[in-house]
Amino acid sequence: MKWAAVLGITFIFVCMALFEWPKLGRGSKKEKIIFLSLSVIGWFLGSMLVFFPNPPGPTELMDGIFKPLGKLLEK
């Protein structure tokens, strides 16, 4: 069932790319590269959220980084 969700995300990604690609123009190579890279990153993150629905948030990342530093500064 999870693979069906990934296929759905892929279908939406392909439809979006086919719809937007002609609007980017011929001479805008940098825009096309940025569009593809951001789209692929979004597709990857969307696919990962299907398999791992409860990832840690950014505050937990900051806590993991600065908690040992805070303990060092308390001593």
Side-chain angles (χ1 to χ4, degrees):
M1 193 61 161
K2 291 183 179 184
W3 288 105
V6 173
L7 284 175
I9 292 170
T10 304
F11 176 74
I12 291 171
F13 168 73
V14 169
C15 288
M16 180 184 70
L18 289 175
F19 181 74
E20 291 292 331
W21 195 260
K23 295 180 181 181
L24 290 175
R26 285 194 161 269
S28 57
K29 186 176 180 180
K30 288 182 183 179
E31 287 182 13
K32 288 181 179 181
I33 291 171
I34 291 171
F35 172 74
L36 281 177
S37 62
L38 290 175
S39 296
V40 168
I41 290 170
W43 173 83
F44 178 75
L45 289 175
S47 299
M48 288 296 103
L49 282 174
V50 169
F51 292 108
F52 307 106
N54 296 320
T59 55
E60 292 176 10
L61 175 67
M62 290 296 139
D63 189 36
I65 292 172
F66 290 116
K67 193 171 188 179
L69 181 63
K71 288 181 181 179
L72 284 174
L73 292 175
E74 285 179 3
K75 292 181 182 181

Coordinates of all heavy atoms in Angstrom, one line a residue:
M1 N 0.8 -1.2 0.0 CA 0.0 0.0 0.0 C 0.9 1.3 0.0 O 0.5 2.3 -0.6 CB -0.9 0.0 1.2 CG -2.0 1.0 1.2 SD -3.0 0.7 -0.2 CE -4.5 1.5 0.2
K2 N 2.0 1.2 0.7 CA 2.9 2.3 0.7 C 3.5 2.6 -0.7 O 3.7 3.8 -1.0 CB 4.0 2.1 1.7 CG 3.5 2.1 3.1 CD 4.6 2.0 4.1 CE 4.1 2.0 5.5 NZ 5.2 2.0 6.5
W3 N 3.7 1.6 -1.4 CA 4.2 1.8 -2.8 C 3.2 2.4 -3.7 O 3.6 3.2 -4.6 CB 4.7 0.4 -3.4 CG 6.0 0.0 -2.7 CD1 6.1 -1.0 -1.8 CD2 7.3 0.5 -2.8 NE1 7.4 -1.1 -1.4 CE2 8.2 -0.2 -2.0 CE3 7.8 1.6 -3.6 CZ2 9.5 0.1 -1.9 CZ3 9.2 1.9 -3.5 CH2 10.0 1.2 -2.6
A4 N 2.0 2.2 -3.4 CA 0.9 2.9 -4.2 C 1.0 4.4 -3.9 O 0.8 5.2 -4.8 CB -0.4 2.3 -3.9
A5 N 1.2 4.8 -2.7 CA 1.3 6.2 -2.3 C 2.6 6.8 -3.0 O 2.5 7.9 -3.5 CB 1.4 6.3 -0.8
V6 N 3.7 6.1 -3.1 CA 4.9 6.6 -3.7 C 4.6 6.7 -5.2 O 5.0 7.7 -5.9 CB 6.1 5.6 -3.5 CG1 7.3 6.0 -4.3 CG2 6.4 5.7 -2.0
L7 N 3.9 5.7 -5.8 CA 3.5 5.9 -7.2 C 2.6 7.1 -7.5 O 2.7 7.7 -8.5 CB 2.8 4.6 -7.7 CG 3.8 3.4 -8.0 CD1 3.0 2.2 -8.3 CD2 4.8 3.7 -9.1
G8 N 1.7 7.4 -6.5 CA 0.9 8.5 -6.6 C 1.7 9.8 -6.6 O 1.4 10.8 -7.3
I9 N 2.6 9.9 -5.7 CA 3.5 11.0 -5.6 C 4.3 11.2 -6.9 O 4.5 12.3 -7.4 CB 4.4 10.9 -4.3 CG1 3.6 11.0 -3.1 CG2 5.5 12.0 -4.4 CD1 4.4 10.6 -1.8
T10 N 4.8 10.1 -7.4 CA 5.6 10.1 -8.6 C 4.7 10.6 -9.8 O 5.1 11.4 -10.6 CB 6.1 8.7 -9.0 OG1 6.9 8.3 -7.8 CG2 7.0 8.8 -10.2
F11 N 3.4 10.1 -9.9 CA 2.5 10.6 -10.9 C 2.3 12.1 -10.8 O 2.3 12.8 -11.8 CB 1.2 9.8 -10.8 CG 0.2 10.3 -11.8 CD1 0.3 9.9 -13.1 CD2 -0.9 11.0 -11.4 CE1 -0.7 10.3 -14.0 CE2 -1.9 11.5 -12.3 CZ -1.7 11.1 -13.6
I12 N 2.1 12.6 -9.6 CA 1.9 14.0 -9.5 C 3.1 14.8 -9.8 O 3.1 15.8 -10.5 CB 1.4 14.3 -8.0 CG1 0.0 13.8 -7.8 CG2 1.5 15.8 -7.7 CD1 -0.4 13.8 -6.3
F13 N 4.3 14.3 -9.5 CA 5.6 14.9 -9.8 C 5.7 15.0 -11.4 O 6.1 16.0 -11.9 CB 6.7 14.1 -9.2 CG 8.1 14.5 -9.7 CD1 8.6 15.7 -9.4 CD2 8.7 13.6 -10.6 CE1 9.9 16.0 -9.9 CE2 10.0 14.0 -11.1 CZ 10.6 15.2 -10.7
V14 N 5.4 13.9 -12.1 CA 5.6 13.9 -13.5 C 4.6 14.8 -14.2 O 4.9 15.6 -15.1 CB 5.4 12.4 -14.0 CG1 5.3 12.4 -15.6 CG2 6.6 11.6 -13.6
C15 N 3.3 14.8 -13.7 CA 2.3 15.7 -14.3 C 2.7 17.2 -14.0 O 2.6 18.0 -14.9 CB 0.9 15.5 -13.6 SG 0.2 14.0 -14.2
M16 N 3.2 17.5 -12.9 CA 3.7 18.9 -12.6 C 4.8 19.3 -13.5 O 4.9 20.4 -14.0 CB 4.1 19.0 -11.1 CG 4.6 20.3 -10.7 SD 5.2 20.3 -9.0 CE 6.7 19.4 -9.1
A17 N 5.8 18.3 -13.7 CA 6.9 18.6 -14.5 C 6.5 18.8 -15.9 O 7.0 19.8 -16.6 CB 8.0 17.5 -14.4
L18 N 5.6 18.0 -16.4 CA 5.2 18.1 -17.8 C 4.4 19.4 -18.0 O 4.4 20.0 -19.1 CB 4.3 16.9 -18.2 CG 5.1 15.6 -18.4 CD1 4.1 14.5 -18.7 CD2 6.1 15.7 -19.5
F19 N 3.7 19.8 -17.0 CA 2.9 21.1 -17.1 C 3.7 22.3 -17.1 O 3.5 23.3 -17.8 CB 1.8 21.1 -16.0 CG 0.9 22.3 -16.0 CD1 -0.1 22.4 -17.0 CD2 1.1 23.3 -15.1 CE1 -0.9 23.5 -17.0 CE2 0.3 24.4 -15.1 CZ -0.7 24.6 -16.1
E20 N 4.7 22.3 -16.2 CA 5.6 23.5 -16.0 C 6.7 23.6 -16.9 O 7.2 24.7 -17.1 CB 6.1 23.5 -14.5 CG 5.0 23.8 -13.5 CD 4.4 25.2 -13.6 OE1 5.2 26.1 -14.0 OE2 3.3 25.3 -13.2
W21 N 7.2 22.5 -17.5 CA 8.5 22.5 -18.3 C 8.4 23.5 -19.5 O 9.3 24.3 -19.7 CB 8.8 21.1 -18.7 CG 10.2 21.0 -19.2 CD1 10.6 21.0 -20.5 CD2 11.4 21.0 -18.4 NE1 12.0 20.9 -20.6 CE2 12.5 20.9 -19.3 CE3 11.7 21.0 -17.0 CZ2 13.8 20.8 -18.9 CZ3 13.0 20.9 -16.6 CH2 14.0 20.8 -17.5
P22 N 7.3 23.4 -20.3 CA 7.2 24.4 -21.4 C 7.2 25.8 -21.0 O 7.6 26.7 -21.8 CB 5.9 24.0 -22.1 CG 5.6 22.6 -21.7 CD 6.2 22.5 -20.3
K23 N 6.7 26.1 -19.8 CA 6.6 27.5 -19.4 C 7.9 28.1 -18.9 O 8.0 29.3 -18.7 CB 5.6 27.6 -18.2 CG 4.2 27.3 -18.6 CD 3.2 27.4 -17.5 CE 1.8 27.0 -17.9 NZ 0.9 27.1 -16.8
L24 N 8.9 27.3 -18.7 CA 10.2 27.8 -18.3 C 11.0 28.4 -19.4 O 11.9 29.2 -19.1 CB 11.0 26.6 -17.7 CG 10.5 26.1 -16.3 CD1 11.3 24.9 -15.9 CD2 10.5 27.1 -15.3
G25 N 10.7 28.2 -20.6 CA 11.3 28.8 -21.7 C 12.6 28.1 -22.2 O 13.0 27.2 -21.5
R26 N 13.1 28.5 -23.3 CA 14.2 27.8 -24.0 C 15.5 28.2 -23.4 O 16.4 27.4 -23.1 CB 14.2 28.1 -25.5 CG 13.2 27.3 -26.2 CD 13.5 27.4 -27.7 NE 12.8 26.3 -28.4 CZ 13.3 25.1 -28.6 NH1 14.5 24.8 -28.2 NH2 12.6 24.2 -29.3
G27 N 15.7 29.5 -23.1 CA 17.0 30.0 -22.7 C 17.3 30.0 -21.2 O 18.3 30.4 -20.7
S28 N 16.4 29.4 -20.4 CA 16.6 29.5 -19.0 C 17.0 28.1 -18.4 O 16.3 27.4 -17.8 CB 15.2 29.9 -18.3 OG 14.2 28.9 -18.7
K29 N 18.3 27.8 -18.7 CA 18.9 26.5 -18.3 C 19.0 26.5 -16.7 O 18.7 25.4 -16.1 CB 20.2 26.3 -18.9 CG 20.9 25.0 -18.7 CD 22.2 24.8 -19.4 CE 22.8 23.5 -19.1 NZ 24.0 23.3 -19.8
K30 N 19.4 27.6 -16.1 CA 19.5 27.6 -14.7 C 18.2 27.4 -14.0 O 18.1 26.7 -13.0 CB 20.1 28.9 -14.2 CG 21.6 29.1 -14.5 CD 22.1 30.4 -14.0 CE 23.5 30.6 -14.4 NZ 24.1 31.8 -13.9
E31 N 17.1 28.0 -14.5 CA 15.8 27.8 -14.0 C 15.3 26.4 -14.1 O 14.7 25.9 -13.1 CB 14.8 28.7 -14.7 CG 14.9 30.2 -14.3 CD 13.9 31.0 -15.0 OE1 12.9 30.5 -15.6 OE2 14.1 32.3 -15.0
K32 N 15.6 25.7 -15.2 CA 15.2 24.3 -15.3 C 16.0 23.4 -14.3 O 15.4 22.5 -13.8 CB 15.5 23.9 -16.8 CG 14.5 24.5 -17.7 CD 14.8 24.0 -19.1 CE 13.7 24.6 -20.1 NZ 13.9 24.1 -21.5
I33 N 17.3 23.7 -14.1 CA 18.1 22.9 -13.2 C 17.5 23.1 -11.8 O 17.4 22.1 -11.0 CB 19.6 23.3 -13.3 CG1 20.1 22.8 -14.6 CG2 20.3 22.7 -12.1 CD1 21.5 23.3 -14.9
I34 N 17.2 24.3 -11.4 CA 16.7 24.6 -10.1 C 15.3 24.0 -9.9 O 15.0 23.4 -8.9 CB 16.7 26.1 -9.8 CG1 18.1 26.6 -9.7 CG2 15.9 26.4 -8.6 CD1 18.2 28.1 -9.6
F35 N 14.5 24.1 -10.9 CA 13.1 23.5 -10.9 C 13.2 22.0 -10.7 O 12.6 21.4 -9.8 CB 12.4 23.8 -12.2 CG 11.1 23.1 -12.3 CD1 10.0 23.4 -11.5 CD2 10.9 22.0 -13.1 CE1 8.8 22.8 -11.6 CE2 9.8 21.3 -13.3 CZ 8.7 21.7 -12.5
L36 N 14.1 21.3 -11.5 CA 14.3 19.9 -11.3 C 14.8 19.5 -10.0 O 14.4 18.5 -9.3 CB 15.1 19.3 -12.4 CG 14.4 19.2 -13.8 CD1 15.4 18.7 -14.8 CD2 13.3 18.2 -13.7
S37 N 15.8 20.2 -9.5 CA 16.4 19.9 -8.2 C 15.5 20.0 -7.1 O 15.4 19.2 -6.2 CB 17.7 20.7 -8.0 OG 17.4 22.0 -7.9
L38 N 14.7 21.1 -7.0 CA 13.7 21.3 -6.0 C 12.6 20.3 -6.1 O 12.1 19.8 -5.0 CB 13.2 22.8 -6.0 CG 14.2 23.9 -5.6 CD1 13.5 25.2 -5.8 CD2 14.6 23.7 -4.2
S39 N 12.2 20.0 -7.3 CA 11.2 19.0 -7.5 C 11.6 17.6 -7.0 O 10.8 16.9 -6.4 CB 10.7 18.9 -8.9 OG 10.1 20.2 -9.3
V40 N 12.8 17.2 -7.3 CA 13.3 15.9 -6.9 C 13.5 15.9 -5.4 O 13.2 14.9 -4.8 CB 14.6 15.6 -7.6 CG1 15.3 14.4 -7.0 CG2 14.4 15.4 -9.1
I41 N 13.9 17.0 -4.8 CA 14.0 17.0 -3.3 C 12.7 16.9 -2.7 O 12.5 16.1 -1.7 CB 14.7 18.3 -2.9 CG1 16.2 18.3 -3.2 CG2 14.6 18.5 -1.4 CD1 17.0 19.6 -3.1
G42 N 11.7 17.6 -3.3 CA 10.3 17.5 -2.8 C 9.7 16.1 -3.0 O 9.1 15.5 -2.1
W43 N 10.0 15.5 -4.1 CA 9.6 14.1 -4.3 C 10.2 13.1 -3.3 O 9.5 12.3 -2.7 CB 9.9 13.6 -5.7 CG 9.6 12.2 -6.0 CD1 8.4 11.7 -6.3 CD2 10.5 11.1 -5.9 NE1 8.6 10.3 -6.4 CE2 9.8 9.9 -6.2 CE3 11.9 11.0 -5.5 CZ2 10.4 8.7 -6.1 CZ3 12.5 9.8 -5.5 CH2 11.8 8.6 -5.8
F44 N 11.5 13.3 -3.1 CA 12.2 12.4 -2.1 C 11.6 12.6 -0.7 O 11.4 11.6 0.0 CB 13.7 12.7 -2.1 CG 14.5 11.9 -1.2 CD1 14.7 10.6 -1.4 CD2 15.0 12.5 0.0 CE1 15.5 9.8 -0.5 CE2 15.7 11.7 0.9 CZ 15.9 10.4 0.7
L45 N 11.4 13.8 -0.3 CA 10.9 14.1 1.1 C 9.5 13.5 1.2 O 9.1 13.0 2.2 CB 11.0 15.6 1.4 CG 12.3 16.2 1.6 CD1 12.2 17.7 1.8 CD2 13.0 15.5 2.8
G46 N 8.7 13.7 0.2 CA 7.3 13.2 0.2 C 7.3 11.7 0.2 O 6.5 11.1 1.0
S47 N 8.2 11.0 -0.5 CA 8.3 9.6 -0.5 C 8.8 9.1 0.9 O 8.3 8.1 1.4 CB 9.2 9.1 -1.6 OG 8.7 9.5 -2.8
M48 N 9.7 9.8 1.5 CA 10.2 9.4 2.8 C 9.2 9.5 3.9 O 9.1 8.7 4.8 CB 11.5 10.1 3.2 CG 12.7 9.8 2.4 SD 13.2 8.1 2.7 CE 12.7 7.2 1.3
L49 N 8.3 10.5 3.7 CA 7.2 10.7 4.7 C 6.2 9.6 4.6 O 5.5 9.3 5.6 CB 6.6 12.1 4.5 CG 7.3 13.3 5.1 CD1 6.6 14.5 4.7 CD2 7.4 13.2 6.6
V50 N 6.1 8.9 3.5 CA 5.2 7.8 3.4 C 5.8 6.6 4.2 O 5.0 6.0 5.0 CB 5.1 7.3 1.9 CG1 4.4 6.0 1.8 CG2 4.3 8.4 1.1
F51 N 7.1 6.4 4.2 CA 7.7 5.3 4.9 C 8.0 5.6 6.4 O 7.9 4.7 7.2 CB 8.9 4.8 4.2 CG 8.7 4.2 2.9 CD1 9.0 4.8 1.7 CD2 8.1 2.9 2.8 CE1 8.7 4.3 0.5 CE2 7.8 2.3 1.6 CZ 8.1 3.0 0.4
F52 N 8.3 6.8 6.7 CA 8.6 7.3 8.0 C 7.8 8.5 8.4 O 8.2 9.6 8.3 CB 10.1 7.6 8.1 CG 11.0 6.6 7.6 CD1 11.7 6.7 6.4 CD2 11.2 5.4 8.4 CE1 12.5 5.7 6.0 CE2 12.1 4.4 7.9 CZ 12.7 4.6 6.7
P53 N 6.5 8.2 8.8 CA 5.6 9.3 9.0 C 5.8 10.2 10.2 O 5.3 11.3 10.2 CB 4.2 8.6 9.1 CG 4.6 7.2 9.6 CD 5.9 6.9 9.0
N54 N 6.6 9.8 11.1 CA 6.9 10.7 12.3 C 8.4 11.0 12.5 O 9.0 10.5 13.4 CB 6.4 9.9 13.6 CG 4.9 9.8 13.5 OD1 4.2 10.6 13.1 ND2 4.4 8.6 13.9
P55 N 8.9 11.8 11.6 CA 10.4 12.1 11.7 C 10.6 13.1 12.9 O 9.7 13.8 13.2 CB 10.7 12.7 10.4 CG 9.5 13.3 9.9 CD 8.4 12.4 10.4
P56 N 11.8 13.1 13.4 CA 12.0 14.1 14.5 C 12.0 15.5 13.9 O 12.4 15.7 12.7 CB 13.4 13.7 15.0 CG 14.0 12.9 13.9 CD 12.9 12.2 13.2
G57 N 11.6 16.5 14.7 CA 11.5 17.9 14.2 C 12.9 18.6 14.3 O 13.8 18.1 14.9
P58 N 12.9 19.8 13.9 CA 14.1 20.6 14.0 C 14.5 21.0 15.4 O 15.7 21.1 15.7 CB 13.9 21.8 13.1 CG 12.4 21.9 12.9 CD 11.9 20.5 13.1
T59 N 13.5 21.1 16.3 CA 13.8 21.4 17.7 C 14.5 20.2 18.3 O 15.4 20.4 19.2 CB 12.6 21.8 18.5 OG1 11.6 20.7 18.3 CG2 12.0 23.0 17.9
E60 N 14.2 19.0 18.0 CA 14.9 17.8 18.5 C 16.3 17.8 18.0 O 17.2 17.3 18.7 CB 14.1 16.6 18.2 CG 12.8 16.5 18.9 CD 12.0 15.3 18.5 OE1 12.5 14.4 17.8 OE2 10.8 15.2 18.8
L61 N 16.5 18.2 16.8 CA 17.9 18.3 16.2 C 18.7 19.3 17.0 O 19.9 19.0 17.4 CB 17.8 18.6 14.8 CG 19.2 18.8 14.1 CD1 19.9 17.5 14.0 CD2 19.0 19.4 12.7
M62 N 18.2 20.5 17.2 CA 18.9 21.5 18.0 C 19.2 21.0 19.4 O 20.2 21.3 20.0 CB 18.1 22.8 18.0 CG 18.1 23.5 16.7 SD 19.7 24.0 16.2 CE 19.7 23.6 14.5
D63 N 18.2 20.3 20.0 CA 18.4 19.8 21.4 C 19.5 18.8 21.4 O 20.3 18.8 22.3 CB 17.1 19.2 21.9 CG 17.1 18.8 23.3 OD1 17.7 19.6 24.1 OD2 16.5 17.8 23.7
G64 N 19.6 18.0 20.4 CA 20.6 17.0 20.3 C 22.0 17.6 20.2 O 23.0 17.1 20.6
I65 N 22.1 18.7 19.5 CA 23.3 19.4 19.2 C 23.8 20.2 20.4 O 24.9 20.1 20.9 CB 23.3 20.3 18.0 CG1 23.1 19.4 16.7 CG2 24.5 21.2 17.9 CD1 22.8 20.3 15.5
F66 N 22.9 20.9 21.0 CA 23.3 21.9 22.1 C 23.1 21.4 23.5 O 23.7 22.0 24.4 CB 22.5 23.2 21.9 CG 22.8 23.9 20.7 CD1 21.9 24.1 19.7 CD2 24.1 24.5 20.5 CE1 22.2 24.8 18.5 CE2 24.4 25.2 19.4 CZ 23.5 25.3 18.4
K67 N 22.5 20.2 23.7 CA 22.4 19.7 25.1 C 23.7 19.3 25.6 O 24.1 19.7 26.8 CB 21.4 18.5 25.1 CG 21.0 18.1 26.5 CD 19.9 17.1 26.4 CE 19.3 16.9 27.8 NZ 18.2 15.9 27.8
P68 N 24.6 18.6 24.8 CA 25.9 18.3 25.4 C 26.8 19.5 25.6 O 27.5 19.6 26.5 CB 26.5 17.4 24.3 CG 25.4 16.8 23.5 CD 24.3 17.8 23.6
L69 N 26.6 20.5 24.7 CA 27.3 21.8 24.9 C 26.9 22.5 26.2 O 27.7 23.0 26.9 CB 27.1 22.7 23.7 CG 27.8 24.0 23.7 CD1 29.3 23.8 23.6 CD2 27.4 24.8 22.5
G70 N 25.6 22.5 26.4 CA 25.1 23.1 27.7 C 25.6 22.4 28.9 O 25.9 23.0 29.9
K71 N 25.7 21.1 28.9 CA 26.3 20.3 30.0 C 27.8 20.7 30.2 O 28.3 20.7 31.3 CB 26.1 18.8 29.8 CG 24.7 18.4 30.0 CD 24.6 16.9 29.8 CE 23.1 16.5 29.9 NZ 23.0 15.0 29.7
L72 N 28.5 20.9 29.1 CA 29.9 21.3 29.2 C 30.0 22.7 29.8 O 31.0 22.9 30.6 CB 30.6 21.2 27.9 CG 31.0 19.9 27.3 CD1 31.5 20.0 25.9 CD2 32.0 19.2 28.2
L73 N 29.2 23.6 29.5 CA 29.2 24.9 30.0 C 28.8 25.0 31.5 O 29.2 26.0 32.1 CB 28.4 25.9 29.1 CG 28.9 26.1 27.7 CD1 27.9 26.9 26.9 CD2 30.3 26.7 27.7
E74 N 28.0 24.1 31.9 CA 27.5 24.2 33.3 C 28.7 23.8 34.3 O 28.7 24.3 35.4 CB 26.4 23.2 33.5 CG 25.1 23.7 33.0 CD 24.0 22.7 33.1 OE1 24.2 21.6 33.8 OE2 22.9 22.9 32.7
K75 N 29.6 23.0 33.9 CA 30.7 22.6 34.8 C 31.7 23.6 35.1 O 32.0 24.6 34.8 CB 31.4 21.4 34.2 CG 30.5 20.1 34.2 CD 31.2 19.0 33.7 CE 30.3 17.8 33.6 NZ 31.0 16.6 33.1

